[in-house]
């Protein structure tokens, strides 16, 4: 059984930084793409960033480019999302996701979700 467990969310001031982590358990993710999504109340879950487990190719939503960095530690089976220059509009629940689809297919083909971690940016 696959389990994705996020951590690292919290309250931060406008312009601050956070690092989210996602510990992946239950299988080898070497053939998977992994990613982050976020969701605010009343809105659809939106794609943030994705990375291939092997090779480390990445893709980002326009809102994340230049401020957020996705990375992974294969030895620890852990995915990260570094959030810099945070803005109040980044406030959301952030979800970790995995997919057997190619990197750019993860946006519409998620196989497993984590439970989410809240990020709140105060103005």
């Amino acid at each position: 059984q696959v389990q994705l467990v996020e951590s690292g969310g919290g309250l931060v001031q406008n312009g601050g930084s956070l690092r989210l982590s996602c510990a992946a358990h239950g299988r080898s993710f070497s053939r998977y793409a992994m990613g982050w999504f976020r969701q605010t109340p009343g809105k659809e879950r939106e794609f943030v960033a994705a990375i291939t487990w092997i090779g480390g190719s990445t893709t980002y939503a326009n809102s994340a480019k230049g401020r957020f960095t996705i990375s992974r530690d294969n030895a620890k089976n852990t995915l990260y999302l570094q959030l810099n220059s945070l803005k109040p509009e980044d406030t959301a629940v952030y979800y970790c996701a995995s997919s057997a689809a190619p990197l750019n297919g993860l946006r519409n083909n998620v196989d497993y979700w984590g439970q989410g971690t809240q990020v709140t940016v105060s103005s």
Side-chain angles (χ1 to χ4, degrees):
Q1 183 176 355
V2 173
Q3 188 178 21
L4 304 176
V5 181
E6 301 98 332
S7 61
L11 174 64
V12 64
Q13 290 186 338
N14 190 15
S17 297
L18 284 173
R19 189 175 81 156
L20 307 183
S21 299
C22 172
H25 306 281
R27 71 187 307 163
S28 170
F29 290 88
S30 62
R31 293 179 295 170
Y32 278 64
M34 303 287 293
W36 292 94
F37 290 72
R38 66 186 184 184
Q39 189 171 24
T40 55
K43 293 187 177 181
E44 290 189 358
R45 195 169 295 187
E46 66 170 352
F47 171 78
V48 175
I51 188 169
T52 55
W53 209 248
I54 301 297
S57 298
T58 59
T59 185
Y60 292 90
N62 287 337
S63 59
K65 289 179 181 177
R67 298 190 300 127
F68 298 173
T69 302
I70 190 170
S71 62
R72 82 274 184 255
D73 185 327
N74 291 15
K76 296 182 179 180
N77 242 24
T78 300
L79 179 71
Y80 301 101
L81 186 67
Q82 179 68 40
L83 308 172
N84 294 330
S85 302
L86 282 163
K87 306 173 184 179
E89 52 263 43
D90 294 317
T91 295
V93 178
Y94 284 71
Y95 295 90
C96 176
S98 69
S99 173
L103 181 65
N104 290 319
L106 180 141
R107 300 175 189 232
N108 299 306
N109 291 283
V110 174
D111 297 312
Y112 298 100
W113 294 99
Q115 84 286 354
T117 186
Q118 176 71 46
V119 172
T120 302
V121 185
S122 63
S123 57

